[in-house]
Amino acid sequence: MNAVLVASDLDRTLIYSAKAFFLEVPDHLAPDMVVVELYQGVPISFMTRTAEQLLLELTRTAIFVPVTTRTEAQYRRVRLPGAVPEYAVTTNGGVLLKNGEPDIEWQTSVGQRVSEGSAPLAVIEEFLSREAYRSWILRLRRAEELFLYSIVDRELMPAEFVRELDAWCASLGWTVSVQGRKLYCVPHAVTKNSAVAEVARRTGASRVIAAGDSLLDGPMLDEADVAFRPSHGELADVDFRREHLRVTDARGILAGEEISRRIHALVQGGASQVKPRSVLPAAFERA
């Protein structure tokens, strides 16, 4: 099968909350937007109308796979253009949806790898529940019994706490990521890139294009043939760069539109135009 698989993170890559718009123009010059998520009846996530149209076209010409750290329930609130994707990845790769339904075989495989390679979730949970951290760890939640995420006060959370937590978690087979007001602790085996690789294997896709903004997206971008990241987010903060990686000029919701436009341009050229990283031509620099 000579097809292109497009694997994209959602929040702050394709879709944006109002706090992440980063618009630097007067309101009357802002782009037209559409609502893509409601929470308790309130619109909370958006994309530009142009990005919506581009993504709709993309779903017709490529294997589009939404990839998110959201839980399955949180993902189901999102309404992307087009039909329900054949495959979607939620819970940072812990859950693989096939035609909207969880793939039990995949979840069993992930669970086994987690139990073999990482300390139990309860160990990390007990650590984060300490009284000393309660001034900045405001809420602590389990995600599908696979990983933990916390709502944090970024101003009160010491930078050294994150560094120490990262080192401690790494020694136990866990990864730490801070995205906005959320702090994630995720077992090494729960990865977006492993789930995307599984979808590529099942669909026979010949090339993979990926997009994302967080440290949890890094390995997925590393393994893609062509990758994109916005000029904001965790990866921007650490100046994440690769030869096959393209960085947007825009920030915020306009970066989401730029990513959609540049991926669309690549896919329109066909799978043969999405070159493997080792032979990626200079022409793709501004695709």
Side-chain angles (χ1 to χ4, degrees), residues 135-136 152-159:
S135 61
W136 62 80
V152 299
D153 187 321
R154 291 291 294 271
E155 292 186 0
L156 294 179
M157 185 170 64

Side-chain angles (χ1 to χ4, degrees), residues 39 127 147 197 233 237 255 278:
Y39 181 62
F127 181 84
F147 65 83
D237 290 344
S278 60

Side-chain angles (χ1 to χ4, degrees), residues 226 228 246 262 266 273-275 280-287:
V226 184
F228 293 88
R246 308 296 173 247
R262 294 173 70 176
L266 279 178
Q273 297 300 306
V274 184
K275 303 297 184 183
L280 192 67
F284 284 94
E285 182 65 37
R286 294 304 309 158

Side-chain angles (χ1 to χ4, degrees), residues 119-177:
L121 180 148
V123 173
I124 312 299
E125 186 175 47
E126 180 180 6
F127 181 84
L128 292 177
S129 300
R130 292 180 178 181
E131 182 70 29
Y133 307 146
R134 289 187 181 176
S135 61
W136 62 80
I137 297 182
L138 308 180
R139 292 194 296 277
L140 182 61
R141 298 285 186 270
R142 292 188 176 199
E144 313 280 0
E145 297 298 315
L146 281 173
F147 65 83
L148 296 163
Y149 67 95
S150 310
I151 305 299
V152 299
D153 187 321
R154 291 291 294 271
E155 292 186 0
L156 294 179
M157 185 170 64
E160 60 267 23
F161 167 77
V162 178
R163 290 192 293 268
E164 292 170 3
L165 177 65
D166 183 58
W168 181 73
C169 281
S171 71
L172 298 176
W174 287 67
T175 298
V176 172
S177 174

Side-chain angles (χ1 to χ4, degrees), residues 159-223:
E160 60 267 23
F161 167 77
V162 178
R163 290 192 293 268
E164 292 170 3
L165 177 65
D166 183 58
W168 181 73
C169 281
S171 71
L172 298 176
W174 287 67
T175 298
V176 172
S177 174
V178 180
Q179 302 176 38
R181 295 181 62 238
K182 289 185 178 179
L183 181 150
Y184 294 89
C185 293
V186 184
H188 286 170
V190 181
T191 65
K192 294 179 178 182
N193 52 301
S194 61
V196 170
E198 175 66 10
V199 175
R201 183 189 68 80
R202 294 187 185 190
T203 59
S206 58
R207 297 287 187 272
V208 174
I209 302 173
D213 71 298
S214 79
L215 291 175
L216 294 174
D217 296 317
M220 177 177 72
L221 303 188
D222 271 334
E223 295 184 12

Side-chain angles (χ1 to χ4, degrees), residues 14-15 32-36 46-60 64 79-82 253 256-258 260-261 264:
L14 284 187
I15 69 176
D32 291 339
M33 300 182 199
V34 294
V35 176
V36 294
F46 308 81
M47 65 195 322
T48 70
R49 190 172 300 280
T50 298
E52 178 192 45
Q53 294 168 347
L54 289 166
L55 183 56
L56 180 59
E57 293 179 23
L58 191 61
T59 63
R60 296 169 177 159
F64 174 66
R79 293 291 182 267
L80 297 173
I253 196 166
E257 180 178 311
E258 184 180 339
S260 298
R261 180 180 295 107
H264 180 267

